[in-house]
Amino acid sequence: MSDRPNSSAARPECSECGKYPKVLHRRYKGNTYCQACYQRIFRHRLCPECNEIARLPIHLPQAICSQCESKRPCIRCGVSGNKLGKYHERGPVCNKCYPYFIEPEKCSLCGKVSRKYRREQLAGIVTTICFKCTPAAGKGTCSRCHRYRKLTVDSVSGKGICQRCRDEGCRQCELCHQLFPAGYGKVCEQCYWLGVLGQRTAITLHLFKTSLFKEHFTSFSKWLCDRRGPAVAAMAVNKYASFLQTIESEWRQIPSYEQLVKHFSVAKIRRHKRLFDWLLDTKLVAVDSELKKENAEQNQILQILRNAKVSPQMGLVIGSFLEKLMLQNQNGQLSLRTIRLYIRTATSLANHCAIKKHTLPTQSDIDSFLEAFPGHRASAYRFVTYLRAKAICCLWIGKPSRAVAKSKHEAKLKKRLFMCLSKLKRGVSHAKIDWKYWALQYFHGIDPKSSRKLVQSITGIVDGEGVLYIHMGKKLWIPNVDISIVA
């Protein structure tokens, strides 16, 4: 009776005796050997290269041991020292070149021929699946325990479910004795994250030197758990330890808000918002709103100066301009917010000049800048006046042309009307109200505030192909938006 199994793909064949053992004992230079053939053919003798005793085939006198074989260069790339992928009959093959020595096969899912594949058993059938399709081969997130595992279809819900959740259903938590999906483990998700939070808090406490700050960090950990839940608290609690450790090394106690802002700045405190919220809830720190605004404005001014790409000469001019503005701030003549607006306009004008490769602004630069950014006209006036007073540049800001401003405003309103029409074609519901709001301004020159009141508080009278509004004794007719689209 033959030892060959029913499926030839189920067991490999021994190259020496032709039998089909359950487990192969050795693969050597493309040949396979069962345990009996291996004991008979591979005998102990000295390796010709390293003179160490190893099992080598008796019919190959020049055969060397596996360690010496792995030190040889790859037969494909010629590189030695890489991780060994396989032994070929012509020599060793590194792990990177190993896929090129595999016979390509067709993927049963995507149908593409690939050398990088694996065999998996799906629905009792051994199939070939490429590496790109491997995650989709019956794997996914279980609908009950939310773990990534091999799934089967739940007969009740029709969703993917792992084998453990399907077979066991629910388990009882070892800690809180509540039922939870069996695929999650021995404890429920809530108890798991509570345990992780306790471990991380206990380990992080060793960073603090004083018992006061150890109590503070423990209190913050409990507060964060109550506020955001144990999962978020466990993942985020260590992020705030360095900030609290810096406070401990600097003051040995929780300082005042003024000291915190002076040392860290409002921007850095904002990055540790949860810790600062805990300081406020426990009343360890009281916020000074005026100090907070001033520090925020100072940081924004510094950020504007850092981002400005200006020439060294223009940088000195803006620096002296800032010194003059700060002196006026100390005298109570200017607020920091106003200074920030002036500096932003000055740096924007300098960047505009740098594009045209001008060291200092010219009159054409001023005109083109205000034409592109008309909203900077008021704040640019202060900087241009400073340049003229210091005899750096002789520049002027003329009055804006009403005709040019009106034509630009009409072009903007026209563009918005066409945007309303496109939204209506897509079925956007609020586009009809927007159409009435912009049409009153475009066709009749009504200011935005009055047009908003007309649209919101007064119902227009539908008059044939349009809508009629009455404002200050005048009749304002605008075309009906539905008819406009049809036309």
Side-chain angles (χ1 to χ4, degrees):
M1 185 174 178
S2 176
D3 292 334
R4 185 181 181 89
N6 295 331
S7 176
S8 60
R11 296 183 188 175
E13 180 185 4
C14 176
S15 303
E16 190 65 24
C17 64
K19 295 181 180 180
Y20 293 87
K22 291 183 179 180
V23 180
L24 284 175
H25 192 75
R26 179 72 187 272
R27 295 179 185 270
Y28 185 79
K29 294 189 180 296
N31 296 324
T32 55
Y33 298 92
C34 63
Q35 186 174 7
C37 294
Y38 174 77
Q39 297 288 344
R40 179 172 52 84
I41 295 175
F42 287 77
R43 300 293 181 88
H44 288 287
R45 60 187 175 91
L46 293 176
C47 174
E49 289 193 4
C50 64
N51 292 325
E52 296 289 340
I53 296 177
R55 275 190 175 273
L56 299 173
I58 57 177
H59 62 279
L60 295 175
Q62 301 299 324
I64 59 177
C65 65
S66 58
Q67 292 185 356
C68 295
E69 192 79 37
S70 62
K71 293 179 182 178
R72 289 184 174 181
C74 174
I75 60 175
R76 181 179 179 272
C77 63
V79 178
S80 58
N82 288 340
K83 189 176 180 180
L84 189 65
K86 68 173 293 185
Y87 287 108
H88 194 262
E89 57 184 4
R90 294 188 288 110
V93 178
C94 69
N95 201 27
K96 295 180 180 179
C97 298
Y98 172 70
Y100 296 95
F101 290 84
I102 301 175
E103 289 295 329
E105 290 193 16
K106 187 176 181 180
C107 176
S108 58
L109 294 181
C110 64
K112 295 182 180 179
V113 178
S114 174
R115 295 180 183 270
K116 298 182 179 181
Y117 59 85
R118 62 188 298 178
R119 300 187 187 278
E120 290 198 7
Q121 189 171 2
L122 298 178
I125 303 174
V126 178
T127 57
T128 302
I129 302 173
C130 65
F131 285 0
K132 291 184 178 180
C133 298
T134 299
K139 294 182 179 180
T141 303
C142 177
S143 60
R144 293 188 183 178
C145 66
H146 307 295
R147 295 296 180 94
Y148 188 80
R149 291 189 176 130
K150 284 188 175 181
L151 303 179
T152 58
V153 179
D154 187 10
S155 58
V156 178
S157 63
K159 298 180 180 179
I161 185 174
C162 66
Q163 184 178 358
R164 187 176 296 176
C165 289
R166 181 195 64 187
D167 296 342
E168 299 185 32
C170 293
R171 288 182 179 177
Q172 191 175 28
C173 178
E174 295 179 354
L175 299 177
C176 66
H177 307 293
Q178 297 291 328
L179 295 178
F180 68 97
Y184 196 79
K186 295 182 179 180
V187 296
C188 65
E189 186 175 6
Q190 187 84 357
C191 293
Y192 167 77
W193 283 114
L194 284 173
V196 173
L197 177 62
Q199 292 176 358
R200 292 181 180 178
T201 303
I203 293 172
T204 311
L205 284 178
H206 295 287
L207 295 175
F208 302 101
K209 299 177 181 179
T210 61
S211 59
L212 175 63
F213 275 83
K214 289 183 179 180
E215 293 176 2
H216 284 331
F217 187 75
T218 305
S219 174
F220 169 68
S221 176
K222 294 179 181 178
W223 176 89
L224 188 60
C225 180
D226 296 337
R227 180 67 65 89
R228 301 291 296 174
V232 175
M235 289 185 285
V237 68
N238 285 340
K239 185 176 71 173
Y240 304 96
S242 59
F243 187 77
L244 201 60
Q245 191 180 10
T246 306
I247 295 176
E248 180 191 28
S249 60
E250 190 71 24
W251 291 284
R252 297 287 177 174
Q253 61 180 357
I254 302 298
S256 64
Y257 181 76
E258 183 178 359
Q259 291 174 307
L260 285 173
V261 168
K262 187 176 181 180
H263 189 272
F264 294 108
S265 79
V266 173
K268 189 170 183 180
I269 291 176
R270 193 180 292 115
R271 288 196 291 269
H272 299 82
K273 185 179 182 300
R274 288 174 180 168
L275 179 62
F276 198 75
D277 289 343
W278 167 75
L279 292 173
L280 295 177
D281 285 354
T282 54
K283 298 182 180 180
L284 294 173
V285 172
V287 177
D288 186 350
S289 57
E290 293 297 327
L291 180 63
K292 181 179 179 180
K293 290 180 182 179
E294 290 181 4
N295 188 266
E297 293 292 347
Q298 290 173 357
N299 290 333
Q300 290 187 51
I301 291 172
L302 293 176
Q303 191 65 29
I304 291 170
L305 294 175
R306 290 193 199 102
N307 296 336
K309 299 177 181 180
V310 297
S311 61
Q313 185 178 357
M314 197 65 182
L316 293 174
V317 173
I318 294 176
S320 61
F321 178 58
L322 177 60
E323 290 179 0
K324 180 182 178 182
L325 295 177
M326 293 302 293
L327 184 61
Q328 293 179 347
N329 173 256
Q330 295 175 5
N331 297 333
Q333 298 175 356
L334 284 178
S335 64
L336 284 174
R337 183 176 182 276
T338 305
I339 293 176
R340 174 173 60 84
L341 296 176
Y342 287 156
I343 293 299
R344 184 179 294 279
T345 300
T347 53
S348 299
L349 178 59
N351 293 336
H352 184 77
C353 297
I355 295 174
K356 297 184 178 181
K357 298 181 180 180
H358 294 165
T359 305
L360 294 174
T362 61
Q363 188 63 45
S364 61
D365 293 335
I366 295 289
D367 296 337
S368 59
F369 175 75
L370 294 178
E371 185 178 353
F373 308 100
H376 287 280
R377 180 176 294 273
S379 53
Y381 182 80
R382 176 64 70 96
F383 184 57
V384 170
T385 304
Y386 174 79
L387 294 177
R388 191 167 60 248
K390 294 293 183 180
I392 299 173
C393 301
C394 185
L395 304 174
W396 300 90
I397 295 181
K399 292 183 178 180
S401 174
R402 292 187 176 181
V404 174
K406 184 179 179 181
S407 63
K408 286 185 176 181
H409 182 64
E410 289 179 353
K412 188 184 295 184
L413 292 174
K414 187 177 180 180
K415 183 178 180 181
R416 288 175 176 172
L417 287 174
F418 278 110
M419 288 175 63
C420 289
L421 292 176
S422 63
K423 288 180 180 179
L424 279 166
K425 290 181 180 179
R426 296 196 303 267
V428 180
S429 59
H430 62 82
K432 288 185 178 181
I433 300 176
D434 293 342
W435 166 268
K436 296 176 182 178
Y437 175 72
W438 299 117
L440 286 170
Q441 297 181 47
Y442 179 74
F443 293 110
H444 300 284
I446 304 299
D447 60 279
K449 187 176 181 180
S450 300
S451 60
R452 186 178 296 108
K453 287 183 178 180
L454 285 171
V455 173
Q456 292 178 354
S457 61
I458 301 176
T459 304
I461 303 170
V462 178
D463 182 18
E465 296 181 354
V467 182
L468 183 65
Y469 290 94
I470 299 176
H471 176 63
M472 298 178 65
K474 296 182 179 179
K475 295 181 179 180
L476 308 178
W477 184 89
I478 57 174
N480 194 334
V481 66
D482 297 327
I483 295 177
S484 300
I485 293 177
V486 174

